[in-house]
């Protein structure tokens, strides 16, 4: 079951809600493709056409943040392995402004941990949970 986080910055009043984790529809790669952005979906579809005996891991929807400008992207996390257990696909989030890979924001007890305000760069955001989704 997925969970929601509501993030609020007291300094600039930035606020955003994130729907994190996985729902019941995330049991197969075909279903996961429906929840991915077009570029990622096309890339994974190509991998599925070219390979057999794949397995995958997903943490569902995750938050990625730029180390430079602190922009945020919510994106589906996915790892795909071939039959030799070699990693052949990993979700990536690239900041369009800074042209660097965003890092995944870790969670602690289903709450985003050490997230930085993308608007004012405050490091002490209020993160509340409680919402569950399927």
């Amino acid at each position: 079951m997925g969970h929601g986080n509501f993030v609020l910055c007291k300094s600039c009043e930035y606020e955003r809600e994130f729907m994190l984790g996985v729902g019941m529809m995330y049991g197969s790669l075909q279903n996961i493709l429906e929840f991915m952005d077009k570029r990622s979906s096309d890339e994974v579809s190509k991998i599925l056409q070219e390979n057999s005996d794949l397995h995958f891991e997903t943490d569902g929807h995750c938050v990625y943040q730029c180390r430079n400008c602190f922009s945020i992207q919510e994106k589906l996390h996915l790892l795909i392995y071939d039959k030799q257990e070699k990693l052949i696909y990993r979700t990536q989030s690239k900041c369009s402004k800074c042209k660097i890979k965003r890092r995944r924001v870790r969670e602690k007890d289903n709450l985003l941990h050490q997230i930085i305000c993308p608007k004012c760069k405050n490091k002490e955001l209020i993160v509340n949970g409680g919402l569950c989704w399927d």
Side-chain angles (χ1 to χ4, degrees), residues 9-84:
C9 178
K10 283 186 173 180
S11 294
C12 70
E13 298 186 17
Y14 167 85
E15 59 182 53
R16 185 161 171 192
E17 184 174 35
F18 297 98
M19 304 300 278
L20 306 171
V22 295
M24 292 185 344
M25 297 294 295
Y26 292 71
S28 74
L29 276 173
Q30 291 298 331
N31 286 352
I32 289 173
L33 284 174
E34 296 176 27
F35 298 98
M36 298 181 86
D37 60 80
K38 178 151 177 45
R39 182 190 300 176
S40 299
S41 177
D42 290 347
E43 192 174 345
V44 171
S45 293
K46 184 177 178 185
I47 290 170
L48 290 173
Q49 291 171 357
E50 296 173 353
N51 297 278
S52 61
D53 295 330
L54 299 173
H55 71 276
F56 71 95
E57 295 175 16
T58 183
D59 291 335
H61 295 272
C62 298
V63 174
Y64 296 83
Q65 188 163 44
C66 179
R67 300 179 305 274
N68 190 37
C69 72
F70 303 106
S71 65
I72 292 175
Q73 182 182 29
E74 184 178 331
K75 191 166 183 164
L76 190 74
H77 169 266
L78 180 64
L79 303 174
I80 300 176
Y81 300 90
D82 66 12
K83 57 187 171 185
Q84 286 84 30

Side-chain angles (χ1 to χ4, degrees), residues 6-10 13-16 124-127:
F6 186 77
V7 175
L8 175 65
C9 178
K10 283 186 173 180
E13 298 186 17
Y14 167 85
E15 59 182 53
R16 185 161 171 192
E124 296 181 23
L125 301 180
I126 298 169
V127 181

